[in-house]
């Protein structure tokens, strides 16, 4: 089989030094890879490429689709777009993987046994960036959660756990509140878990999960979650582990992946041969597992851990009580190369499994989607916002074949009965339901409401799917 070809970008600041160190380790290990270099980042920005990626680099990235990337300096000032965001969007990198583990006693950590991986959905959720101002007082953001997006990240989490010899996958959501979006995420997790019987699984509500990550991270192993929760959890985990400088991160898609260090280009120490290449090396090890070169990943990982154990440390992790030699970037790489073939004694190493990571989507058969109603959102700011005034005006409109059921304000029912006294804003939701209705019936209703002088600013069609409600219910329904 021909060697796997990967793209390597040396990056900016300390990028060239640490990438060179990692490449020397990969080559000394005789890793069966071919390397294609691209120049992206600061120099490309300054040549006028707003994304930091010139067209020839794009061609190479698209052709090879697996990339090891040194850190990139984003120049100050407007007009520049982040290389990472561009790569993520253009290559459909739906998963972000952040490893957070302690390396006690070499690096101080509050939780010496912590070894957590957070897999965060990378493209959806509130990060879809779909926001609207609806009225004087109301702004809405769309939380987009899709079945294919959810399935991809969850399947990836299980494949990851299997490939890396992990034991447990924990799903974190807020499905006690967001029963439809987070509820689907949890449900898909439970479905896919059945395909991986060797792995333990559990689910935690995100607030409890975040508290556990901060207080008892050693009880967690692999965490899979939605975009926003994952963003917050990764920072908590990095802080608690205390070893962010040694962490690698991966952005992974169906058929493309990009691996990098968590840290940036550290311009303050660039060119001094003192940067620690461990973050990028950890990323390179993830890359090797990803492409199925698990034995090479293990050999390099073990040699690196032995180097840490032997006390050969770069200045950022050098400690009088544990270190034996203070070395620069090049000498640190030399020390790893010298230890290839050895296994650590104290720092536990994971055993990687053969086969790499494979994502095969399993689309569901389509369900019967039936129109059963509409939520009509209106802007109204009269009569001290007395819901009975608006509710009665709406109730008088002939809505047949739809039936006006109830009205809510900020999700709380205010008509026909006020469930709770609540602050009322200037946007109201009116729910209509009906049997055997068509979209023409909805259009006719909208016309009547408009003729009654009521300002409609948004509608949501209500559907059932194989008879199950595709919308959340009001308190009285
Ligand atoms: P940084 O991570 O580059 O540096 C923060 C501190 O950590 C500095 O004191 C630095 O010297 C130190 N440090 C970082 N990596 C180190 C290493 N390998 N060894 C020893 N010390 C190390 O963060 P910053 O200063 O906020 O950002 C600098 C530049 O990096 C900015 O242009 C930023 O946009 C960019 N950046 C890029 C990425 C990326 O490419 N993924 C990520 C974060 C920041």
């Amino acid at each position: 089989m021909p060697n796997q070809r990967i793209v390597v970008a040396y990056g900016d600041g300390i990028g060239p030094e640490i990438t060179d160190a990692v490449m020397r380790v990969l080559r000394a290990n005789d890793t069966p890879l071919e390397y294609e270099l691209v120049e992206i980042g600061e120099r490309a920005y300054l040549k006028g490429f707003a994304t930091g990626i010139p067209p020839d680099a794009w061609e190479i990235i698209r052709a090879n689709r697996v990339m090891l990337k040194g850190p990139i300096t984003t120049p100050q000032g407007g007009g520049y777009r982040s290389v990472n965001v561009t790569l993520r969007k253009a290559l459909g990198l739906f998963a972000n993987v952040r490893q957070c583990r302690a390396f006690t006693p070499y690096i101080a950590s509050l939780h010496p046994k912590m070894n957590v991986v957070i897999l965060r959905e990378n493209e959806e959720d509130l990060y879809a960036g779909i926001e609207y101002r609806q009225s004087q007082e109301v702004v809405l953001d769309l939380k987009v959660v899709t079945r294919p997006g959810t399935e991809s990240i969850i399947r990836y989490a299980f494949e990851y756990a299997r490939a890396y010899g992990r034991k447990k996958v924990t799903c974190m959501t807020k499905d006690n509140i967001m029963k439809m979006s987070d509820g689907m995420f949890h449900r898909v997790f439970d479905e896919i878990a059945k395909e991986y019987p060797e792995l333990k699984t559990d689910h935690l509500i995100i607030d409890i999960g975040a508290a556990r990550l901060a207080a008892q991270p050693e009880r967690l192993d692999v965490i899979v979650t939605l975009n926003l929760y994952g963003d917050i959890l990764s920072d908590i985990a990095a802080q608690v582990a205390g070893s962010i400088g040694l962490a690698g991160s991966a952005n992974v898609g169906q058929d493309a992946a990009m691996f990098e260090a968590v840290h940036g280009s550290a311009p303050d120490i660039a060119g001094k041969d003192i940067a620690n290449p461990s973050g990028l090396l950890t990323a390179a090890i993830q890359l090797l597992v990803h492409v199925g070169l698990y034995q090479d990943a293990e050999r390099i990982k073990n040699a690196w851990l032995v180097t840490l154990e032997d006390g050969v440390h770069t200045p950022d992790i050098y400690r009088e009580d544990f270190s034996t030699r203070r070395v620069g970037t090049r000498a640190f790489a030399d020390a790893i190369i010298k230890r290839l073939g050895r296994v650590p004694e104290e720092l536990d190493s994971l055993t990687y499994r053969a086969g790499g990571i494979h994502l095969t989507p399993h689309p569901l058969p389509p369900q019967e989607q039936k129109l059963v109603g509409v939520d009509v959102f209106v802007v109204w700011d009269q009569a001290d916002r007395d819901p009975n005034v608006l509710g009665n005006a709406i109730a008088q409109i002939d809505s047949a074949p739809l039936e006006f059921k109830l009205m809510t304000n900020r999700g709380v029912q205010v008509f026909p009965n006020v469930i709770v006294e609540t602050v009322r804003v200037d946007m109201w939701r009116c729910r209509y339901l009906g049997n055997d209705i068509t979209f023409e019936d909805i259009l006719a209703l909208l016309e009547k409401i408009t003729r009654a002088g009521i300002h409609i600013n948004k509608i949501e069609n209500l559907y059932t799917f194989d008879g199950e409600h595709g919308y959340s219910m009001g308190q009285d329904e």
Side-chain angles (χ1 to χ4, degrees), residues 186-418:
H186 187 174
R187 227 176 25 253
V188 172
F189 176 80
D190 287 345
E191 278 168 28
I192 293 178
K194 294 192 189 111
E195 297 172 34
Y196 298 83
E198 78 276 20
L199 293 168
K200 283 194 216 142
T201 58
D202 63 356
H203 172 268
L204 292 175
I205 297 293
I206 183 66
D207 35 2
I208 309 288
R212 181 164 306 170
L213 181 62
Q216 299 168 306
E218 61 285 350
R219 289 177 61 188
L220 294 160
D221 190 351
V222 173
I223 299 171
V224 62
T225 190
L226 296 99
N227 203 343
L228 176 63
Y229 310 141
D231 191 0
I232 299 166
L233 286 187
S234 318
D235 276 17
I236 296 176
Q239 184 74 29
V240 175
S243 57
I244 188 148
L246 310 193
S249 141
N251 287 280
V252 180
Q254 276 301 338
D255 62 354
M258 185 268 282
F259 300 83
E260 63 178 345
V262 168
H263 61 72
S265 57
D268 52 332
I269 56 165
K272 295 186 178 157
D273 190 38
I274 55 172
N276 188 341
S278 296
L280 191 64
L281 187 71
T282 313
I285 292 165
Q286 280 179 273
L287 182 152
L288 294 175
V289 178
H290 182 84
V291 300
L293 296 174
Y294 68 101
Q295 284 167 325
D296 297 276
E298 250 173 48
R299 241 167 84 82
I300 294 175
K301 176 78 170 287
N302 285 337
W304 172 63
L305 292 174
V306 175
T307 309
L308 291 182
E309 279 187 354
D310 285 351
V312 181
H313 294 162
T314 44
D316 56 306
I317 57 169
Y318 186 87
R319 286 173 57 182
E320 290 297 339
D321 40 352
F322 287 106
S323 307
T324 54
R325 270 176 64 206
R326 188 186 178 102
V327 292
T329 315
R330 278 192 70 80
F332 186 71
D334 290 339
I336 298 170
I337 291 167
K338 235 167 95 183
R339 288 163 177 79
L340 284 167
R342 286 178 54 189
V343 290
E345 282 167 19
E346 204 176 323
L347 292 170
D348 48 304
S349 168
L350 291 171
T351 310
Y352 303 133
R353 305 254 166 93
I357 290 175
H358 301 284
L359 295 168
T360 321
H362 294 42
L364 285 184
Q367 297 179 307
E368 191 209 355
Q369 180 170 356
K370 189 168 170 228
L371 185 65
V372 295
V374 64
D375 275 355
V376 180
F377 292 77
V378 304
V379 177
W380 184 77
D381 188 16
Q382 297 167 27
D384 293 334
R385 297 184 182 173
D386 178 349
N388 289 319
V389 175
L390 177 63
N392 286 325
I394 287 179
Q396 275 171 22
I397 297 167
D398 169 21
S399 60
L402 287 131
E403 192 183 340
F404 177 39
K405 288 285 185 191
L406 57 91
M407 191 168 76
T408 67
N409 193 295
R410 295 196 305 164
V412 176
Q413 184 169 325
V414 291
F415 187 87
N417 309 305
V418 175

Side-chain angles (χ1 to χ4, degrees), residues 56 69 83 156 300 329 405:
D56 57 332
K69 181 179 129 321
V83 164
Y156 184 73
I300 294 175
T329 315
K405 288 285 185 191

Side-chain angles (χ1 to χ4, degrees), residues 80-136:
Y80 299 112
R81 273 177 278 148
S82 144
V83 164
N84 275 13
V85 173
T86 307
L87 285 172
R88 199 165 71 211
K89 292 201 166 154
L91 299 175
L93 305 179
F94 62 79
N96 179 266
V97 187
R98 178 80 76 87
Q99 298 179 328
C100 301
R101 66 166 287 189
F103 292 93
T104 317
Y106 308 101
I107 294 170
S109 168
L110 294 172
H111 301 283
K113 293 210 161 66
M114 171 174 189
N115 190 350
V116 172
V117 180
I118 297 170
L119 289 108
R120 159 188 173 194
E121 199 289 319
N122 222 6
E123 294 181 298
E124 303 190 345
D125 194 355
L126 289 162
Y127 292 70
I130 307 174
E131 302 188 298
Y132 301 100
R133 181 163 172 190
Q134 300 281 339
S135 66
Q136 293 299 316

